[in-house]
Amino acid sequence: MSPALIKMWVALSSMGLMFVAVLAIMFSRAKLNGVLKVLVSTFAYLCMFTSGVLMLLVVFTGPTD
C-alpha cells in the first residue's frame, strides 16, 4: 500500500474511534450506574484520546508524494 492510502486508513480509523467514544459516553450517561458507568466512560475517553493522537499524526506528517 502507498503511504497516502495508509494515512487514509489511519484517519478513517480515528474517525471510527471518535464515533465509538461518542456512543459509549451517551450510553454510559443515559443507562449505566456505578462502576460500570466509570468503566465505560474511561474506555470512551481512552478512545477519544487515541483518536486525537492518530489525527494529529495524520495532520502533522504532511503531504505524501
Side-chain angles (χ1 to χ4, degrees):
M1 275 195 291
S2 69
L5 191 58
I6 292 172
K7 283 179 72 168
M8 181 204 65
W9 283 112
V10 170
L12 188 62
S13 65
S14 177
M15 288 186 279
L17 279 172
M18 286 183 201
F19 183 71
V20 167
V22 167
L23 288 179
I25 287 292
M26 288 174 51
F27 180 71
S28 71
R29 288 184 179 178
K31 302 286 182 184
L32 300 177
N33 289 324
V35 176
L36 196 56
K37 180 178 183 175
V38 172
L39 289 175
V40 172
S41 295
T42 303
F43 169 74
Y45 286 117
L46 284 173
C47 285
M48 190 63 73
F49 177 75
T50 305
S51 68
V53 169
L54 287 174
M55 199 55 77
L56 283 174
L57 178 76
V58 168
V59 169
F60 286 123
T61 55
T64 57
D65 292 333

